[in-house]
Amino acid sequence: MAVTEPAPAAPPAAYEGILRRQTMRESAARTYARSLPIVPVRARGLTIEGADGRRYLDCLSGAGTLALGHNHPVVLEAIKKVLDSGAPLHVLDLATPVKDAFTTELFATLPREFADDARIQFCGPAGTDAVEAAFKLVRAATGRSGLLAFTGAYHGMTSGALAASGGAEDVTVTRLPFPQDYRCPFGIGGERGARIAARWTETVLDDPKSGTPTPAGMILEPVQGEGGVNPAPDGWLRRMREITASRSIPLIADEVQTGVGRTGAFWAVEHSAVVPDVMVLSKAIGGSLPLAVIVYRSELDTWQPGAHAGTFRGNQLAMAAGTATLAHVRENRLAERAGTLGAWMLARLRALAADHPCIGDVRGRGLMIGVELVDPEAAPVDGASEAPPDPVLAVAVQQECLRRGLIVELGGRHSTVVRLLPPLTLTDEQAEAVIDRLADAMAAAERSPHRRTATGSIR
Ligand code: PMP
C-alpha cells in the first residue's frame, strides 16, 4: 500500500495494548517512549503514521539519523538490491563490494586534505562504539591516557563516552568550558566569551599545576546536539585546532549528529575549515540502519591487528543504505539546502520569540535547531541576564506538539530546549507546517491553566 493512502486505524484496544505491554515489560530507562506514546506503523519522508491512524510530522528523525527522512526510495532501493543479489549479510570485517563502495563514497565526501591520508575503522554499530574506538586509538598512538571534553557534551552511553559527556565521574577526563552565547559561563557570550573559553583551555594545558597532564586527545562536537544545540563559533574551533596541533594532542571531531549535511555543510568542521585528526561518524551514514566508523589520519594508525574488534562491524545493508544516502545528499546538494532552509526557519522562530517571552533563545545551524524555553516571570539566578529554564513548560510544549501531530525532542541541560532535526529533504511547505504547529503548541502550553512551576505552584 502506498504511504499516501491513509492506513486503516487499528482498533484502539490493539495499540493501547502495545503501549501498555511496553510500559509493563520494558526497562525503566526507556526514553522517547515515555514522552511520545505513539505506535508507529508506517513512515515516509517527514511523516510517521501511528496505529491510531494519525499522522505526525517527525522532527526527531531518529535523533538526527534520518538525513533523507523515513524510507527514502533511494535507501529502500539500495537495501533491496543487496537482498536480491544474494550477498552475505554478515561478514565480520571482510572485504565486500558493498563495503568498498561505501568507503569510496564516504571518502569522496570528506575534506580532501583529510581523506587523502586517512584510515577507516569500522566499529560496533552505535555512535558510542566509535567514540570508544577513537579514545582507544589516540591513547594507543600517544601513550597518554587523559582526555579533554567540554561542558554540555554528549558522546554516548558506554563508560568512556559517558565520562566524556559529564555523565559519570572519571578522573581521566578534564572538562573545559564550551563557548556559548546564551548562558555563557562567564556571563559575557559572543566573541569575548569564546576567547576566554579558549584561554582557559590553553591555561589548563600549559599550567604545570593545573592538575591535567598532557592528554591523549580532545573531543568536541562542532554543534552540541543533546547539550542543547550549541554551535561552536568557527573562530573558537580554529583556536582549538591550533592549541591541540601545537601541543601534539589529537583533535577528535564527534560528527555523529552533525554529519551528512545536517548543519549546512557536508561535515560541520567544514564551516571553520578545521581538519581534525579523528572523525567519529554514525547516525546518518547508515541511511537509517546501524553503522559507526572512525576515520583518522594514517599517522595515528599504530594499532596492532585485532586491537579493536567486534562481531557487528560489517552490516552490509547499513553500508548500502549509507552509500545511497551519502550519494543522494552530495548529488542533490542537500547540505546547502539545509543551510538555507535552516536559516529561514531560525528567522521565523526568532520572529516568534518576539511574541512569546517564554522563548529565551533560538539557535542552531542548518537543520539542527533549538528553541530554549524559560520562565520569563521568574527572577534570573545569581545575577544571570537570562531567565531560568522552564522544564515544565518544555514538557507541555512537547505534548501540545504531539497533540498537533508534530514530533519534537527536548534536549539541553535542563531538558528545556525544543529540538528540531527534520530531514534534509524537508520542503518549504513542510517547514511552514512545522513552524505553525510549534507556534500553536507554544501558545496552548503558555495558556494552559495546569501549567505549574517546578516548585509546584500553579501559575
Ligand atoms: N555522539 C553524539 C554527538 C551524539 O549525538 C550521539 C547520540 N545522540 C552519540 C555520540 C552516541 O550515539 P549512539 O546513541 O548511537 O551510541
Side-chain angles (χ1 to χ4, degrees), residues 150-408:
F150 291 90
T151 48
Y154 183 84
H155 300 292
M157 280 285 161
T158 48
S159 65
L162 192 60
S165 311
E169 290 300 317
D170 185 326
V171 288
T172 61
V173 173
T174 300
R175 194 153 311 279
L176 298 164
F178 190 84
Q180 51 194 66
D181 287 347
Y182 198 70
R183 302 194 197 288
C184 169
F186 312 111
I188 308 169
E191 228 176 88
R192 264 189 75 213
R195 263 208 311 275
I196 295 177
R199 180 89 196 90
W200 181 320
T201 297
E202 250 184 312
T203 306
V204 163
L205 289 169
D206 294 344
D207 178 352
K209 296 286 179 195
S210 71
T212 302
T214 306
M218 170 190 282
I219 184 163
L220 53 78
E221 295 153 86
V223 180
Q224 288 188 337
E226 309 299 329
V229 194
N230 305 308
D234 293 342
W236 176 84
L237 205 51
R238 282 193 286 272
R239 193 73 199 108
M240 291 305 105
R241 177 65 286 188
E242 286 162 13
I243 289 172
T244 49
S246 61
R247 291 161 181 81
S248 301
I249 299 168
L251 177 65
I252 305 166
D254 180 344
E255 290 244 26
V256 167
Q257 194 165 139
T258 50
V260 194
R262 167 76 43 206
T263 69
F266 206 101
W267 303 105
V269 287
E270 291 168 23
H271 290 296
S272 54
V274 155
V275 179
D277 300 298
V278 185
M279 288 178 75
V280 184
L281 313 176
S282 187
K283 290 199 195 275
I285 63 160
S288 74
L289 298 177
L291 188 61
V293 301
I294 53 172
V295 185
Y296 51 95
R297 277 197 306 121
S298 63
E299 191 186 308
L300 293 171
D301 203 22
T302 58
W303 267 340
Q304 295 301 309
H308 195 73
T311 305
F312 290 108
R313 290 179 295 146
N315 189 333
Q316 300 295 289
L317 293 182
M319 288 173 194
T323 308
T325 301
L326 294 167
H328 192 81
V329 171
R330 181 174 54 78
E331 286 160 7
N332 294 281
R333 306 170 83 86
L334 292 186
E336 279 174 35
R337 165 77 183 154
T340 8
L341 189 54
W344 180 84
M345 289 178 80
L346 280 174
R348 281 287 311 271
L349 290 166
R350 287 190 178 125
L352 203 63
D355 299 327
H356 294 273
C358 69
I359 299 183
D361 193 32
V362 174
R363 52 184 182 260
R365 203 153 200 182
L367 287 174
M368 194 166 174
I369 295 174
V371 178
E372 181 156 346
L373 299 175
V374 297
D375 181 350
E377 280 154 38
V381 182
D382 287 341
S385 56
E386 298 93 355
D390 193 338
V392 179
L393 176 65
V395 168
V397 169
Q398 188 185 37
Q399 284 166 2
E400 292 294 344
C401 282
L402 192 65
R403 206 163 284 152
R404 285 160 181 74
L406 176 65
I407 296 176
V408 296

Side-chain angles (χ1 to χ4, degrees), residues 12-228:
Y15 61 80
E16 281 165 9
I18 291 173
L19 289 170
R20 197 180 54 252
R21 284 191 292 280
Q22 180 183 48
T23 309
M24 277 162 33
R25 300 194 291 216
E26 288 188 25
S27 147
R30 68 194 185 281
T31 49
Y32 304 103
R34 288 179 188 275
S35 49
L36 303 168
I38 62 169
V39 180
V41 287
R42 293 195 317 176
R44 189 71 169 235
L46 178 67
T47 308
I48 283 187
E49 238 175 77
D52 55 2
R54 292 196 64 206
R55 285 164 178 238
Y56 301 87
L57 304 184
D58 180 13
C59 282
L60 173 53
S61 298
T65 301
L66 304 167
L68 304 183
H70 292 276
N71 291 331
H72 192 283
V74 299
V75 171
L76 296 184
E77 191 51 43
I79 293 172
K80 279 187 201 138
K81 208 168 139 202
V82 175
L83 290 174
D84 293 344
S85 74
L89 297 181
H90 191 298
V91 288
L92 298 165
D93 68 348
L94 302 184
T96 67
V98 171
K99 177 151 90 170
D100 186 53
F102 171 79
T103 307
T104 303
E105 181 58 45
L106 178 67
F107 275 43
T109 68
L110 289 167
R112 205 12 149 4
E113 202 185 331
F114 182 64
D116 278 352
D117 177 39
R119 295 282 182 275
I120 185 168
Q121 165 76 16
F122 287 82
C123 306
T128 199
D129 299 320
V131 169
E132 298 292 347
F135 292 169
K136 219 162 132 184
L137 177 85
V138 295
R139 282 176 169 142
T142 62
R144 306 190 288 252
S145 65
L147 291 163
L148 303 179
F150 291 90
T151 48
Y154 183 84
H155 300 292
M157 280 285 161
T158 48
S159 65
L162 192 60
S165 311
E169 290 300 317
D170 185 326
V171 288
T172 61
V173 173
T174 300
R175 194 153 311 279
L176 298 164
F178 190 84
Q180 51 194 66
D181 287 347
Y182 198 70
R183 302 194 197 288
C184 169
F186 312 111
I188 308 169
E191 228 176 88
R192 264 189 75 213
R195 263 208 311 275
I196 295 177
R199 180 89 196 90
W200 181 320
T201 297
E202 250 184 312
T203 306
V204 163
L205 289 169
D206 294 344
D207 178 352
K209 296 286 179 195
S210 71
T212 302
T214 306
M218 170 190 282
I219 184 163
L220 53 78
E221 295 153 86
V223 180
Q224 288 188 337
E226 309 299 329

